[in-house]
Amino acid sequence: MNNLVLIFGLVASLILLGFAFAGPATGKAASRRLSAVKIRHSDSVDAKLEQQMRKAVAARRPIMFTEGTKMSVTDRLRLRLQQTGKKWGLNQYLYVSGGIFVAMFGILTIRGAPMLLALGGATFLALAVPHFSVNYLIRKRINDFTAKFPEAIELLVRGLKSGLPVGETLGVVAREIPGPVGEEFKIVTEKIKIGKTMEDALQDTAERLGTPEFQFFVITLAIQRETGGNLAETLSNLADVLRKRAQMKLKIRAMSSESKASAYIVGSLPFIVFALVWSVNPEYLGGFFVEQRLMIAGIVGLVWMSIGVGIMAKMVSFEI
């Protein structure tokens, strides 16, 4: 009976978290479709230009890696490990997770924790610690890439203005820009050398990085090939847009920092207090793992905590 109550509580928490972090509402999707229909049947010059741009973007090769339904769990994990920029394999990731599980299970068992708590805590840490560590490394690398990317585009612009072809300027960026930007452009130039088209090589990098900034770059090149025009001027405008986008992100981060700090403190404080009291007096909280009424009360509290954390996460999440 106790196990059923625990399973029910965990399932309810996961469902509520799924609702809290759900994607965009159907109303927004309907409004976007209505806007697309209006553009398609409009006679204005701006609408025709936008329609032409949409056709150019739609003609590109579809993205395979960013849609989770087209990838298995193993492939998604391999992609995440590649996004860290480290030479880590899937086996190493699994070994680390297994080591954390064994270590935490041994520590909790020695401390006298109930078997169910030891298994649950060790499993949670074995899954959470590697996952969030990889998330941190991916986010750090993406931030480094985004910070240097406008500089790389400006170097491309200078190369194009001096008369170099696009493929040669990509090689210049790979040699001159340090960090993740140079590494990614080096991969692009190597793929072009072995016979891939520039569009496919750039699209592979865009799929692996998953950043909107690089997607803007790839879309800009696709639109320029479709519609023509001055590529150097177009890329210069793109670099200016990306710099302003980065400035806007920093402003939003500064304005929402207080709310995020409050959300982190409110969300983590109950668990911190529980862990501190447990470390000092395990018998005082032992009833939450033995007595049925306390277990139900704890599960209800976790469900409400999950709802609150989801609401706070939505309130402090901003997209540009």
Side-chain angles (χ1 to χ4, degrees):
M1 181 64 182
N2 295 339
N3 293 335
L4 291 177
V5 173
L6 284 174
I7 293 172
F8 173 77
L10 290 175
V11 171
S13 300
L14 292 175
I15 292 175
L16 291 171
L17 284 174
F19 280 118
F21 294 96
T26 56
K28 293 183 179 179
S31 65
R32 284 197 297 268
R33 289 195 296 268
L34 182 60
S35 177
V37 172
K38 290 180 179 179
I39 291 173
R40 192 179 304 123
H41 297 283
S42 177
D43 295 329
S44 66
V45 177
D46 293 338
K48 290 181 179 180
L49 179 60
E50 185 172 351
Q51 185 179 1
Q52 191 175 12
M53 291 172 63
R54 289 176 183 271
K55 288 182 180 179
V57 174
R60 296 166 56 240
R61 182 162 59 89
I63 297 175
M64 298 296 293
F65 288 123
T66 54
E67 298 182 8
T69 56
K70 297 183 180 180
M71 295 182 66
S72 64
V73 175
T74 305
D75 291 335
R76 285 201 298 272
L77 183 55
R78 286 197 180 98
L79 175 60
R80 282 167 49 79
L81 293 176
Q82 290 177 5
Q83 289 174 337
T84 61
K86 310 292 183 181
K87 295 182 179 179
W88 292 344
L90 186 60
N91 291 333
Q92 293 174 310
Y93 184 89
L94 296 177
Y95 290 153
V96 171
S97 298
I100 293 174
F101 175 83
V102 172
M104 293 308 304
F105 181 77
I107 292 172
L108 292 175
T109 303
I110 293 174
R111 290 285 299 174
M115 182 63 64
L116 187 61
L117 175 62
L119 285 173
T123 302
F124 174 77
L125 290 176
L127 295 175
V129 172
H131 177 79
F132 287 109
S133 300
V134 171
N135 276 352
Y136 170 77
L137 293 174
I138 292 174
R139 186 166 58 251
K140 183 177 182 299
R141 188 168 188 267
I142 293 301
N143 290 336
D144 294 340
F145 181 91
T146 304
K148 291 285 185 180
F149 190 48
E151 181 180 345
I153 295 178
E154 290 176 351
L155 183 58
L156 280 172
V157 171
R158 292 195 293 270
L160 291 172
K161 288 182 178 179
S162 64
L164 293 176
V166 179
E168 185 65 27
T169 54
L170 294 177
V172 173
V173 172
R175 293 190 299 269
E176 297 296 331
I177 305 296
V181 175
E183 295 172 1
E184 295 297 337
F185 275 88
K186 183 179 179 182
I187 294 173
V188 171
T189 55
E190 289 175 351
K191 289 182 178 180
I192 293 175
K193 288 178 181 178
I194 63 175
K196 270 199 171 186
T197 63
M198 185 177 66
E199 182 178 4
D200 288 342
L202 290 172
Q203 185 61 48
D204 289 341
T205 302
E207 292 167 358
R208 186 174 61 257
L209 288 174
T211 61
E213 287 80 6
F214 199 84
Q215 287 287 353
F216 293 158
F217 175 68
V218 178
I219 291 172
T220 299
L221 293 180
I223 293 173
Q224 193 274 338
R225 282 194 296 272
E226 181 73 18
T227 62
N230 190 344
L231 179 58
E233 183 180 355
T234 304
L235 291 178
S236 179
N237 294 333
L238 176 62
D240 183 60
V241 170
L242 293 182
R243 289 189 185 279
K244 291 180 179 178
R245 177 184 171 88
Q247 293 174 1
M248 182 61 68
K249 282 185 176 181
L250 292 176
K251 289 181 181 178
I252 290 176
R253 184 182 302 175
M255 294 174 64
S256 62
S257 59
E258 183 179 355
S259 300
K260 287 184 178 180
S262 300
Y264 293 150
I265 294 172
V266 171
S268 61
L269 190 59
F271 301 100
I272 294 174
V273 172
F274 188 91
L276 292 175
V277 175
W278 174 268
S279 63
V280 175
N281 189 1
E283 292 80 9
Y284 182 74
L285 298 177
F288 281 97
F289 308 100
V290 178
E291 189 174 346
Q292 184 175 354
R293 289 176 297 177
L294 289 176
M295 292 174 65
I296 294 175
I299 291 172
V300 172
L302 286 175
V303 171
W304 283 109
M305 280 288 298
S306 302
I307 295 173
V309 169
I311 293 174
M312 288 188 293
K314 283 288 187 180
M315 290 175 65
V316 298
S317 177
F318 302 97
E319 295 182 1
I320 301 178

